[in-house]
């Protein structure tokens, strides 16, 4: 790592002046107002590291950001630059309606414009909860200034009757038991208080942890920083070092996110995603990040990589362990080391070293093979995610095969179709619902352009009467997403979605559907004439009067395979 700030490189407070038609007056006015904050001449003469702070009372995962912020500032000051924090939108996953994804692009726009508009020479991005990190990376790629990500880090686990619990795979496991009548109301209430007990992001390899590992692999965060638990002192040291490194990045044009996100580094990130059996959401975010960088992102390439990238990490929701175990086992550097021969080692990172050079650095401790496997003995020889294509999903859909009952990955069954989330809620537990364990549950109108705005609703509940019989998994298909903490034979992100006129909209209860993960196929077994007849009968939905961000979103959002970004970004 090259040391020290490039103090001459940054424009500091004189950068990007407000335009009054007189640049000298603009500089004078800005200095005058900056002085009102009590800064000395020396402080105001330094280059500026902006710190995008996403602390919010509506984001439990970022509860510890005030302490992390102090550490980032300390690092910036130690490197001789001036740290100035600024707020941006924060997205607390469970506090947003209809879903946090709808606001990811808004956060990306907010963050991008503030990085660009303010006199910032480099920026530290403080994020963590699911959509915050992709939003910040999308923003930083577009903004074009040096940037470094420091994530919140995962929660530590809680305890219930001697059992370790972590949000939110165990939330779903206990809720499924409650729905099946296995545990009562008193017990589910007791568990509720033990699932999320510390600051930090979900304790398993959900979307937040997946994105943290991906960002470290992309070279946009410090090595080993992704998995440090939120409450661990090492997280504060990583925050301090991130501040220091941001100052050192000032003027380093070859180390901006725009320069570091390349076709090769995106491919490395996909390898990491597959090896950690990470969240399906990451494919949407990677597609958006790649698109911002002008890099192609092809789901068929995902399949090629998936066939040669083994699952190496034994973590929930697919395996047995938690993020705190992953950190202790060696974290991202240990996984990269195992993947070495599959990676593009010449990719540069914000450290100033290539990924290959970082991999050669010794690990702090021996790798715990019960959590991170050696290549010779993988958890699963095939990658965790694949894309399937066919008459039901011409532009693709995603299956997390590592999280499914393997028997269901080759399956033909009768469709039970729900036309919306409201329809699903109304009928899924009805005692008279005609459904068997071999049927395929289909949810329509939950994609990006739907009113639901692509929520994490793809994990359709097992109908209560089947759950009570002990049925744990069924094939479920939708244009929605799935929480990274969920599991099952779930087919997601069907594109084009029903609300955009995709064939999913034409599926009817009683149709046959065939899923073959081996052949990478997803087909609606209905003949072309019948499909054409159904399409001609389909009425245009009533147009809805929209305003504000809702209108911007609906007019411009892209499909899942394009990252659900806006067409103008
Ligand atoms: Fe924030 Fe899961 S709710 S990461």
């Amino acid at each position: 790592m090259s040391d020290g700030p490039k103090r001459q490189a940054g424009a500091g407070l004189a950068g990007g002046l407000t335009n009054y038609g007189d640049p000298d007056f603009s500089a004078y006015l800005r200095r005058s107002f900056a002085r009102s904050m009590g800064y000395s001449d020396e402080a105001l003469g330094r280059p500026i590291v902006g710190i995008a702070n996403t602390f919010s009372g509506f984001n439990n995962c970022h509860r510890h950001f005030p302490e992390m912020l102090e550490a980032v500032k300390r690092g910036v000051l130690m490197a001789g630059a001036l740290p100035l924090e600024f707020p941006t939108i924060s997205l607390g996953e469970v506090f947003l309606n209809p879903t946090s994804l709808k606001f990811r692009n808004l956060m990306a726009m907010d963050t991008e414009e503030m990085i660009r508009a303010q006199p910032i020479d480099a920026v530290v991005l403080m994020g963590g909860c699911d959509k915050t990190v992709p939003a910040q990376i999308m923003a930083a790629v577009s903004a074009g200034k040096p940037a470094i990500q420091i994530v919140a880090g995962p929660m530590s686990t809680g305890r219930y009757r001697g059992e370790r619990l972590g949000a939110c795979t165990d939330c779903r496991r206990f809720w499924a038991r409650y729905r099946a009548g296995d545990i009562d109301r008193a017990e589910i209430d007791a568990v509720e208080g033990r699932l999320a007990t510390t600051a930090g992001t979900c304790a398993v390899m959900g979307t937040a942890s997946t994105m943290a590992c991906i960002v470290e692999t992309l070279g946009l965060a410090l090595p080993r920083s992704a998995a440090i638990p939120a409450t661990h002192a090492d997280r504060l040291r990583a925050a301090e070092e991130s501040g220091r490194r941001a100052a050192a990045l000032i003027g380093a044009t070859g180390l901006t996110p725009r320069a570091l996100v390349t076709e090769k580094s995106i491919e490395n990130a996909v390898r990491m995603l597959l090896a950690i059996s990470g969240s399906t959401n990451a494919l949407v975010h990677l597609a958006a990040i790649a698109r911002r960088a002008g890099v192609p992102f092809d789901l068929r390439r995902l399949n090629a990589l998936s066939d040669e990238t083994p699952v190496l990490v034994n973590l929930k929701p697919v395996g047995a362990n938690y993020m705190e175990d992953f950190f202790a086992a060696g974290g991202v550097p240990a996984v990269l080391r195992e993947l070495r021969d599959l990676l593009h080692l010449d990719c540069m990172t914000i450290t100033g070293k290539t990924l290959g050079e970082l991999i050669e650095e010794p690990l702090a401790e021996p790798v715990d093979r019960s959590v991170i496997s050696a290549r010779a003995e993988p958890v699963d020889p095939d990658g965790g995610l694949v894309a399937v294509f066919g008459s039901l999903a011409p532009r693709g859909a995603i299956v997390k095969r590592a999280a499914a009952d393997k028997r269901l990955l080759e399956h033909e069954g009768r469709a039970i179709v729900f036309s919306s989330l409201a329809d699903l809620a109304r009928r899924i537990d009805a005692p008279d619902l005609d459904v068997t364990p071999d049927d395929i549950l289909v949810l329509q109108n939950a994609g990006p352009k739907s009113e639901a705005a692509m929520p994490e609703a793809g994990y359709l509940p097992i109908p209560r009467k089947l759950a009570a019989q002990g049925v744990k998994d069924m094939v479920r298909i939708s244009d929605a997403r799935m929480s990274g903490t969920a599991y099952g034979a779930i087919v997601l992100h069907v594109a084009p979605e029903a609300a955009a006129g995709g064939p999913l909209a034409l599926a009817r209860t009683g149709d046959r559907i065939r899923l073959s993960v081996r052949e990478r196929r997803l087909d609606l077994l209905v003949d072309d004439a019948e499909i054409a007849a159904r399409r001609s009968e389909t009425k245009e939905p009533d147009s809805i009067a929209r305003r504000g961000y809702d209108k911007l979103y609906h007019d411009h959002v892209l499909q899942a395979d394009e990252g659900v970004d806006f067409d103008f970004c």
Side-chain angles (χ1 to χ4, degrees):
M1 232 179 258
S2 61
D3 290 324
K6 297 177 177 172
R7 292 188 52 185
Q8 305 310 313
L13 206 63
L17 289 170
T18 316
N19 194 351
Y20 302 109
D22 178 349
D24 290 340
F25 173 72
S26 297
Y28 156 77
L29 197 69
R30 179 176 286 176
R31 281 197 308 273
S32 308
F33 281 86
R35 277 171 191 272
S36 78
M37 293 187 281
Y39 291 109
S40 65
D41 282 349
E42 185 191 348
L44 294 180
R46 293 186 179 197
I48 294 173
V49 172
I51 306 170
N53 182 12
T54 50
F55 176 80
S56 162
F58 290 100
N59 195 334
N60 58 290
C61 299
H62 298 186
R63 188 184 94 192
H64 57 316
F65 272 19
E67 191 181 27
M68 271 177 59
L69 176 66
E70 288 311 307
V72 173
K73 285 182 172 177
R74 188 164 67 237
V76 173
L77 287 168
M78 285 163 64
L82 176 65
L84 291 178
E85 73 180 278
F86 61 99
T88 72
I89 294 171
S90 187
L91 302 175
E93 184 63 21
V94 299
F95 294 100
L96 290 153
N97 179 278
T99 172
S100 62
L101 182 64
K102 182 169 181 180
F103 306 104
R104 182 202 62 181
N105 298 349
L106 183 64
M107 179 174 172
M109 291 172 78
D110 170 9
T111 308
E112 175 188 341
E113 296 307 329
M114 288 304 100
I115 293 172
R116 189 183 287 122
Q118 297 175 132
I120 287 172
D121 297 309
V123 64
V124 178
L125 305 163
M126 293 179 64
C129 194
D130 287 16
K131 309 301 175 294
T132 59
V133 168
Q136 290 182 323
I137 297 299
M138 289 159 68
V141 167
S142 295
K145 290 185 181 177
I148 182 169
Q149 180 86 57
I150 178 76
V151 297
M155 288 183 209
S156 302
T157 52
R159 295 284 186 284
Y160 176 70
R161 295 187 176 171
E163 185 183 355
R164 276 208 298 171
L165 297 186
C168 214
T169 301
D170 295 323
C171 320
R172 295 171 202 286
R173 185 164 58 84
F174 273 89
W175 190 254
R177 289 181 61 195
Y178 173 63
R179 278 180 59 81
D182 193 26
I183 60 173
D184 62 14
R185 186 79 226 178
E187 186 156 6
I188 196 75
D189 287 348
V191 167
E192 183 183 296
R194 310 290 171 81
L195 289 163
T197 54
T198 74
T201 49
C202 286
V204 299
M205 191 54 84
T207 304
S209 295
T210 301
M211 288 310 300
C213 295
I214 279 175
V215 169
E216 185 175 324
T217 304
L218 284 170
L220 300 173
L222 291 175
R224 189 179 165 272
S225 65
I228 305 169
T231 57
H232 197 297
D234 281 358
R235 177 134 310 280
L236 296 177
R237 277 184 276 277
E240 179 186 298
E241 183 59 24
S242 297
R244 184 197 280 272
R245 187 65 199 151
L249 286 172
I250 294 172
T253 52
L255 298 180
T256 62
R258 185 61 181 265
L260 299 182
V261 175
T262 63
E263 196 165 351
K264 285 181 174 179
S265 69
I266 288 282
E267 200 161 292
N268 287 343
V270 173
R271 296 270 193 201
M272 175 59 65
L273 169 63
L274 293 164
I276 60 178
S277 198
S279 166
T280 46
N281 282 316
L283 289 169
V284 170
H285 301 317
L286 271 173
I289 291 166
R291 195 169 176 278
R292 295 266 179 143
V295 168
F297 189 84
D298 183 354
L299 289 179
R300 292 181 197 275
R301 181 70 184 136
L302 165 73
N303 283 343
L305 298 178
S306 192
D307 286 341
E308 36 175 71
T309 310
V311 176
L312 296 175
V313 169
N314 179 5
L315 284 195
K316 289 177 183 246
V318 176
N321 300 290
Y322 295 90
M323 281 302 289
E324 61 195 13
D325 306 314
F326 181 58
F327 170 66
V332 170
V335 179
L336 289 172
R337 187 171 277 234
E338 295 301 319
L339 295 176
R340 189 174 354 207
D341 62 299
L342 297 175
L343 299 171
H344 300 288
L345 298 175
D346 57 338
C347 287
M348 188 51 72
T349 73
I350 44 99
T351 64
K353 296 180 181 178
T354 63
L355 193 66
E357 288 171 325
L358 292 178
I359 288 173
E360 291 308 318
E361 293 183 354
L363 297 173
E365 292 174 51
V367 177
D368 179 348
R369 294 297 180 201
S370 70
V371 180
I372 302 172
S373 299
R375 273 285 284 290
E377 295 174 281
V379 174
D380 193 322
D382 299 317
L385 303 172
V386 288
V388 291
F389 301 85
S391 60
L392 194 54
R395 282 167 53 181
I398 302 298
V399 182
K400 188 170 182 176
R401 61 178 162 184
D405 180 339
K406 298 278 185 277
R407 166 185 70 86
L408 294 172
L409 296 178
E410 305 297 320
H411 185 74
E412 184 186 317
R414 178 184 65 150
I416 308 293
V417 178
F418 300 92
S419 61
S420 66
L421 281 162
D423 184 35
L424 176 74
R426 197 162 47 239
R427 294 196 293 127
I428 189 73
D429 288 336
D432 62 348
L433 180 70
D434 176 16
V435 64
T436 74
D438 291 330
D439 290 336
I440 294 178
L441 305 179
V442 176
L443 173 64
Q444 299 167 324
N445 294 307
K449 275 193 182 296
S450 73
E451 289 310 300
M454 209 182 183
E456 291 184 337
Y459 177 72
L460 275 66
I462 303 293
R464 195 183 289 272
K465 69 181 187 186
L466 296 183
Q469 295 167 19
V471 175
K472 298 251 183 310
D473 201 1
M474 294 173 71
V475 175
R476 289 160 272 180
I477 299 172
S478 73
D479 44 14
R481 295 176 298 121
M482 173 172 79
S483 165
T485 62
Y487 44 86
I490 316 275
V491 183
L492 302 152
H493 306 185
V494 168
E497 64 174 299
L504 184 68
L506 305 176
R508 305 254 171 94
T509 292
D511 288 348
R512 304 292 295 177
I513 291 177
R514 181 168 172 268
L515 168 68
S516 173
V517 168
R518 189 170 48 234
E519 295 171 22
R520 309 287 193 261
R521 296 288 307 181
L522 180 66
D523 290 298
L524 181 63
L525 305 179
V526 175
D527 64 45
D528 293 347
E530 172 63 16
I531 288 289
R534 290 182 191 179
R535 193 173 287 288
S536 66
E537 288 164 11
T538 306
K539 286 191 302 188
E540 281 291 307
D542 295 338
S543 71
I544 298 173
R546 301 184 188 279
R547 57 165 297 282
Y549 180 72
D550 183 53
K551 179 166 172 52
L552 182 77
Y553 176 88
H554 278 92
D555 288 354
H556 294 284
V557 72
L558 296 168
Q559 292 292 287
D561 58 328
E562 298 168 309
V564 194
D565 201 358
F566 290 149
D567 54 11
F568 56 81
C569 284

